Amino acid sequence: MVDHNSRTGARLDRARLTREQFSALRRMLEPVLATNAFYRDKLAAAGVSRPEDIASLEDLRRLPFTTRRELTEDQAAHPPHGSLLTFPLERYTRLHRTSGTTGLPLRWLDTAESWQWLVDSWACGYDAAGVGAEDGVFLAFSFGPFIGLWCAFEAARRVGAMAMPGGGLSTEQRARLMADNRATVLVSTPTYALHLADVARANGIPAMDSVRVTIHGGEPGASVPATKRRIADAWGATCFDHAGATEVGSWGFECAELSGLHINESEFIAEVLDTASGEPAAEGELVLTNLGRVGMPLIRYRTGDHVRLASDPCTCGRTYVRLDGGVTGRVDDAMVIRGTVVFPAALENAIRSVPQVTEYAVDVDRRGTLDELRVRIERAEDGGGAPAAVAESIRRATGLRAEVTACAVGVLPRYELKSRRVRDHRNTPI
Ligand SMILES: [Zn+2]
């Protein structure tokens, strides 16, 4: 809560930004150390009992990490909500839940103040994409317990735009609603943006005509260059990436320079750690401390996101750090195939670079002692040479030989949330 709406904080010089971050952290630690059982005990074990003990990044680095597994275990040990609550239950006004794709679902509670912080953080993404009062924002999600779309929905109101919920509708109905109401902004997963455009086009619905901006979360695709280009072409719009997670909040957005994700450092302290050594590095796992979600905070949370810091400041003038290529994968999604480390996003970029590919699925298997990379693609009618082109594109990007086959259009699954196009069927952990 350095600057409550983060709009001026983005341009502070780095020294001032750091000072503001740590005073926000100390403000948050005051109630947390007093009444948050989870962190009071965890930080006491690290020798921290007073907020003033944490004045710098060096102090912060002495604190233990918080992991997803700890959170899951805590909620199992203290059902249903765990011991990470700073306030009595009656202070909380919202409950959301993770999708459970990476483990047991986590429940996450927010007070009214924490919720406002989440919404304000999300609104930074709209600001950076130039979305405001003239815009109609269509949210192509079913409105379930997943938190991101609720934040995006309320953040639209926060920037004065008109929010249009897209729950309970078929894809065709969504396209019609967008066209009929002249939506100018689409918020969806990257995968679903492509599917929605396909369906609109196939049914002659001019949903794209009024759209000028698309913003994507839930999956990393909008920072994968080939996917980003494809979304921008399909919608005739500027495609922005956005990043966040239920448990930590909306931490990253893309500015109009489209040069990677900015981390919202007014509301988060970010560290990037080498996955092997745990030491600070330019590339590795993103570790976040949120500064305004006092009701259920996270300190040094290992996000599991693999990222790469950009070395130069962004030309937009924001002093926030930037991640080249956004979230380049999940740390535990890294696969070793025939001795080569491969992230699903790298395969996505290679496959989607072939324009005829409309959808794809990747299976990694082991036959005998040899790893096999098999790719199925759906292709446009003029896509006769697509399998060979995809194999060549993968070879160029990763050095790996892939067996690529074409299948009928509509055979492969479509996803609204959390696509799983890459499946590793080998049992051996890396
Ligand atoms: Zn920028």
Side-chain angles (χ1 to χ4, degrees):
M1 288 189 297
V2 174
D3 164 270
H4 200 70
N5 62 18
S6 294
R7 290 171 184 175
T8 52
R11 289 175 172 77
L12 291 179
D13 69 71
R14 296 288 311 174
R16 168 98 189 272
L17 182 59
T18 306
R19 277 202 307 279
E20 304 259 353
Q21 284 178 317
F22 281 87
S23 55
L25 178 58
R26 287 192 295 274
R27 277 201 301 280
M28 183 175 89
L29 283 175
E30 224 156 274
V32 168
L33 284 170
T35 51
N36 186 304
F38 180 92
Y39 273 120
R40 187 188 51 213
D41 297 349
K42 195 172 165 70
L43 298 187
V48 173
S49 55
R50 305 169 314 153
E52 48 279 26
D53 292 343
I54 307 298
S56 69
L57 200 51
E58 274 161 34
D59 295 336
L60 184 70
R61 284 200 189 115
R62 282 200 290 272
L63 301 184
F65 295 119
T66 304
T67 64
R68 172 69 181 250
R69 170 182 275 192
E70 266 180 288
L71 301 174
T72 309
E73 287 173 356
D74 178 63
Q75 293 199 345
H78 308 279
H81 304 120
S83 68
L84 187 59
L85 304 180
T86 307
F87 304 111
L89 203 54
E90 57 268 26
R91 282 282 301 277
Y92 293 80
T93 55
R94 306 207 51 135
L95 183 148
H96 292 277
R97 207 191 65 182
T98 63
S99 61
T101 42
T102 52
L104 285 174
L106 280 175
R107 304 166 193 96
W108 217 264
L109 272 57
D110 285 293
T111 63
E113 296 81 8
S114 291
W115 182 253
Q116 192 58 50
W117 175 84
L118 283 167
V119 169
D120 288 344
S121 302
W122 218 103
C124 292
Y126 285 133
D127 277 345
V131 174
E134 300 79 32
D135 286 300
V137 179
F138 183 78
L139 296 110
F141 293 96
S142 48
F143 276 58
F146 168 63
I147 200 168
L149 67 110
W150 294 97
C151 294
F153 183 77
E154 294 209 8
R157 182 177 56 82
R158 175 80 171 75
V159 299
M162 182 184 289
M164 309 179 192
L169 300 174
S170 69
T171 300
E172 189 181 334
Q173 287 170 326
R174 283 173 170 165
R176 282 196 201 287
L177 197 148
M178 290 182 75
D180 291 348
N181 296 286
R182 298 184 188 285
T184 56
V185 180
L186 168 67
V187 180
S188 71
T189 64
T191 297
Y192 194 76
L194 290 170
H195 178 54
L196 183 56
D198 280 350
V199 170
R201 198 158 282 126
N203 290 281
I205 305 166
M208 298 75 148
D209 286 7
S210 48
V211 171
R212 61 179 191 83
V213 164
T214 68
I215 304 179
H216 307 286
E219 309 161 354
S223 278
V224 173
T227 305
K228 189 181 199 69
R229 241 184 343 264
R230 201 172 267 227
I231 295 170
D233 290 349
W235 286 90
T238 312
C239 167
F240 292 86
D241 195 9
H242 192 100
T246 303
E247 59 273 36
V248 74
S250 162
W251 56 261
F253 60 87
E254 204 169 10
C255 72
E257 301 296 314
L258 302 179
S259 55
L261 278 173
H262 279 290
I263 297 180
N264 184 348
E265 291 185 281
S266 291
E267 311 298 345
F268 294 86
I269 298 175
E271 302 167 75
V272 177
L273 302 179
D274 183 89
T275 30
S277 69
E279 291 300 311
E283 181 172 351
E285 182 175 359
L286 179 66
V287 175
L288 290 172
T289 298
N290 53 16
L291 299 174
R293 206 177 188 182
V294 183
M296 207 165 170
L298 283 176
I299 297 168
R300 300 201 85 202
Y301 180 58
R302 297 191 75 137
T303 63
D305 288 331
H306 183 271
V307 299
R308 194 167 52 238
L309 284 169
S311 51
D312 49 338
C314 187
T315 43
C316 73
R318 288 176 180 81
T319 51
Y320 294 166
V321 293
R322 220 159 23 101
L323 302 176
D324 261 341
V327 173
T328 44
R330 299 282 303 164
V331 170
D332 41 9
D333 278 351
M335 299 174 290
V336 178
I337 304 174
R338 286 176 230 142
T340 302
V341 178
V342 184
F343 280 102
L347 291 174
E348 170 168 351
N349 193 39
I351 296 167
R352 288 210 191 273
S353 298
V354 177
Q356 295 91 344
V357 176
T358 53
E359 190 51 79
Y360 72 94
V362 175
D363 293 280
V364 183
D365 262 315
R366 181 165 289 154
R367 185 169 296 170
T369 55
L370 196 65
D371 296 323
E372 276 192 337
L373 177 59
R374 284 182 290 120
V375 181
R376 286 170 293 156
I377 55 167
E378 290 180 15
R379 61 186 171 187
E381 276 171 16
D382 60 345
V390 167
E392 175 56 18
S393 178
I394 290 174
R395 194 196 58 74
R396 258 185 285 121
T398 65
L400 293 170
R401 198 179 51 76
E403 178 193 318
V404 184
T405 51
C407 54
V409 172
V411 167
L412 298 175
R414 263 62 176 178
Y415 303 89
E416 182 183 298
L417 259 180
K418 307 282 180 197
S419 60
R420 279 201 68 198
R421 292 191 176 85
V422 179
R423 288 171 191 273
D424 190 343
H425 306 281
R426 303 167 298 175
N427 292 325
T428 44
I430 61 166

